[in-house]
Amino acid sequence: MVTTTSSLFAVPEPLGMVDMEAVSEAARAATLAQNRAGATRLEAAHVLVDQFARSAQAQADEGGAGAGSRRPAYARLDPEARARDHLVAACQLTCWHAARLVTAGTQIHRRLPRLRSTVDRGLLPEQVAVDIACRLAEVPDAIVSAVEDEVVARFTDDLDGGDRPTRNAVDSAIDDAVERHDPAAAQDAAAAAAATRSVRFRGDRNGMATMWAKLTAADAELLRRRIETDASAASADGLDGSLDQLRADALAALAVYPPAGGPSATSPGPGSGSGPGSGSDPAPASEYDGIELGDVRLGADLPRPTLGNAARAGQPIRISVIASAARGLPNRVEFVHGTYSSVEWLCTELLEGDDASVRFELIDPAPGVLDSPEHALRYVITPAMAERIRMRDGTCRHPGCSVPAEACDVDHVIAFNTKDPELGGPTTEWNLVCLCRKHHREKTFGTNAYRSGPLGELVIITDTGHEHRTRPKGPLARARDAIWEREWNAFADRIVADDGTLINPPGQDRYGPRRRPA
């Protein structure tokens, strides 16, 4: 049997039977085929956008002249957003990756002819092409052609020599080209980039969490210098830990609030003021561009955040306990707001912290415990029900979307009938899901069909007839899964004997008490 790759090279199977040169050529041919497949995906994304745009225009035309213009702005769906949501499920992508694929596809086929030619010939990997196109989307039309020619020529030559550029290298090369061709545009881009600054947190395994921060270069440098200074001081003082660990401790120490009425880290302490009778001048704080970095001295310990400290910031800890002990499982504890290390850490802080404020609440994992006939016929979702749905779902329920449930809307899967509530979808747990605002609008004003299940399953049926399913992944859903697994294992133990045969009646010893065949 012979496998061919675009008539470029033929390799007898398996590859282990051929020499190194043949295997290398097979890998190169496969890479070329993969690049061309990426070009097809980019073209498909562009075509999808055009098709959704034509469909929207056709619907507007069917509604009569000017019907589309009378539709409220919030009810008009962006064709690129609809193409993104379609590709999320069709290509098994996250929303972020699908959005970049759509942006790159439309840019390459509408305003980047040289990049399109290079992609169609399979000379650029799909991810590199997406990185270049998405960055060029931010370049003004007046200079995009010149920047495109310069960047594509450079990276094509690098790839031909086996040097694949990183995303940072792509961004830097395009930034440099923009600055050369239009310095004013580079300044505008810097101002626009400053508006995208953000900080995000996500809980990880083993009591850890990850933090992402996007800051201006000036602010990042100030923060870096503060962390480096504090970590170096702690290291010189002999504190245990590597420099990376001490940097992390220094960053956490910035979260410590001073006691009410006490001096801050950058303010003079008792006896160090410059007022009458102080007897000494305050120690000057080091400055960088007029911004105080704080009075950091060698030998200073790194303070640690505590629950009492959080209480001084007005942020009490809230804890939900999912009651599954009655079903033979330990109670599952969830920190609803914020990410903390462990229950042991919490207990230590409660014993040692000052003014710690903690609120416990017990959650019944049984489906529908908050449902009632009275609330089922009301459109407004109670705060307790909304929080329960968010605890069940964890994130937006659209395929590929990872927007946290706290930032999502709680929506009726079957639409609520405000005129006759008995004929519409009830306000009950099985009929409610979390959807981010973008996917909430897609559900309300789009053409997909939605169906829910008793435990929060969501089925989305697209215009093309494809079905996409998602299941809730929040702490409440995980507790239910653990309960179901334990109950199923217990049931299997009752009906299946040690030798794999079925027991009848269930739960009885197949051969009588303490008897086995000889």
Side-chain angles (χ1 to χ4, degrees):
M1 180 177 178
V2 175
T3 299
T4 60
T5 53
S6 304
S7 72
L8 293 175
F9 191 75
V11 182
E13 294 186 353
L15 289 179
M17 301 296 293
V18 299
D19 58 21
M20 185 181 300
E21 181 179 357
V23 173
S24 177
E25 286 302 318
R28 288 170 60 87
T31 299
L32 178 61
Q34 184 179 19
N35 292 350
R36 287 178 171 169
T40 302
R41 284 214 308 175
L42 289 166
E43 182 181 7
H46 164 65
V47 172
L48 270 176
V49 173
D50 283 349
Q51 289 178 343
F52 278 118
R54 289 196 298 267
S55 176
Q57 186 61 45
Q59 290 178 358
D61 294 340
E62 290 176 1
S69 62
R70 291 197 301 268
R71 194 175 191 183
Y74 63 80
R76 302 174 199 160
L77 298 177
D78 181 15
E80 291 192 10
R82 299 196 67 190
R84 174 206 64 202
D85 292 340
H86 185 88
L87 289 172
V88 161
C91 299
Q92 301 173 349
L93 301 173
T94 65
C95 287
W96 183 83
H97 285 95
R100 287 177 62 83
L101 184 66
V102 169
T103 299
T106 54
Q107 289 291 316
I108 288 173
H109 288 81
R110 291 180 182 178
R111 67 193 291 259
L112 303 174
R114 180 163 183 175
L115 181 58
R116 176 180 177 179
S117 174
T118 305
V119 169
D120 288 343
R121 287 181 290 157
L123 302 182
L124 277 181
E126 179 187 4
Q127 192 56 59
V128 175
V130 169
D131 291 341
I132 295 175
C134 288
R135 183 62 187 86
L136 288 175
E138 304 170 7
V139 177
D141 291 338
I143 63 172
V144 68
S145 180
V147 174
E148 177 196 10
D149 290 344
E150 180 179 331
V151 170
V152 171
R154 169 180 172 179
F155 289 132
T156 302
D157 185 63
D158 289 346
L159 285 166
D160 189 55
D163 184 15
R164 176 171 175 152
T166 64
R167 185 175 299 161
N168 286 337
V170 169
D171 292 343
S172 298
I174 294 177
D175 289 343
D176 293 342
V178 169
E179 190 170 1
R180 283 193 299 273
H181 292 283
D182 189 353
Q187 295 178 358
D188 294 340
T196 65
R197 62 191 184 276
S198 62
V199 177
R200 293 182 297 140
F201 298 87
R202 186 184 69 185
D204 285 342
R205 299 184 302 273
N206 302 321
M208 301 299 289
T210 301
M211 179 182 74
W212 292 270
K214 188 175 184 180
L215 309 173
T216 63
D219 291 345
E221 175 60 17
L222 288 173
L223 184 60
R224 185 195 68 80
R225 287 189 55 177
R226 172 65 182 268
I227 292 174
E228 288 288 345
T229 302
D230 288 8
S232 298
S235 178
D237 191 41
L239 291 186
D240 294 334
S242 66
L243 200 54
D244 280 342
Q245 293 170 337
L246 292 177
R247 289 190 189 101
D249 294 341
L251 178 62
L254 297 179
V256 175
Y257 291 81
S264 66
T266 58
S267 63
S272 60
S274 57
S278 62
S280 62
D281 294 330
S286 58
E287 293 187 0
Y288 181 79
D289 287 344
I291 301 177
E292 292 186 355
L293 294 179
D295 183 16
V296 180
R297 302 177 306 278
L298 290 179
D301 289 334
L302 294 176
R304 301 297 301 166
T306 64
L307 277 183
N309 170 73
R312 284 193 289 272
Q315 299 174 352
I317 307 301
R318 183 177 169 194
I319 301 165
S320 295
V321 180
I322 299 176
S324 53
R327 291 173 167 84
L329 291 173
N331 281 331
R332 184 181 186 90
V333 177
E334 292 290 336
F335 296 96
V336 176
H337 300 293
T339 302
Y340 301 94
S341 340
S342 63
V343 179
E344 291 76 13
W345 172 89
L346 172 68
C347 294
T348 301
E349 293 298 327
L350 288 175
L351 292 173
E352 299 179 357
D354 297 329
D355 300 326
S357 178
V358 179
R359 194 184 96 189
F360 287 89
E361 55 189 8
L362 193 64
I363 305 297
D364 189 340
V369 294
L370 294 185
D371 295 345
S372 68
E374 179 183 1
H375 288 101
L377 300 180
R378 293 181 181 178
Y379 176 73
V380 177
I381 303 168
T382 64
M385 176 66 82
E387 185 163 313
R388 183 177 181 84
I389 300 303
R390 292 188 170 99
M391 188 176 295
R392 181 198 68 190
D393 289 353
T395 63
C396 171
R397 294 295 306 284
H398 191 277
C401 187
S402 59
V403 174
E406 293 78 13
C408 291
D409 301 330
V410 178
D411 186 35
H412 293 76
V413 179
I414 303 174
F416 188 88
N417 191 327
T418 55
K419 295 181 179 179
D420 191 348
E422 293 185 354
L423 298 181
T427 304
T428 52
E429 183 178 334
W430 66 267
N431 192 45
L432 298 173
V433 294
C434 289
L435 291 173
C436 68
R437 185 56 55 86
K438 290 186 294 186
H439 291 126
H440 189 174
R441 292 180 63 249
E442 170 68 28
K443 174 184 173 297
T444 302
F445 305 112
T447 55
N448 293 336
Y450 294 76
R451 186 172 69 240
S452 62
L455 296 179
E457 303 89 345
L458 180 66
V459 178
I460 302 176
I461 306 171
T462 65
D463 297 347
T464 58
H466 293 91
E467 290 190 2
H468 307 292
R469 298 177 178 84
T470 65
R471 294 184 302 168
K473 298 181 176 64
L476 184 57
R478 295 196 300 269
R480 288 174 178 172
D481 290 343
I483 293 171
W484 180 89
E485 182 178 4
R486 180 181 178 88
E487 291 179 348
W488 170 254
N489 290 336
F491 175 72
D493 288 341
R494 294 179 62 244
I495 67 171
V496 180
D498 295 339
D499 58 0
T501 58
L502 293 179
I503 301 174
N504 190 17
Q508 299 296 319
D509 193 321
R510 186 175 181 84
Y511 302 102
R514 302 190 181 187
R515 291 201 308 118
R516 290 283 181 182

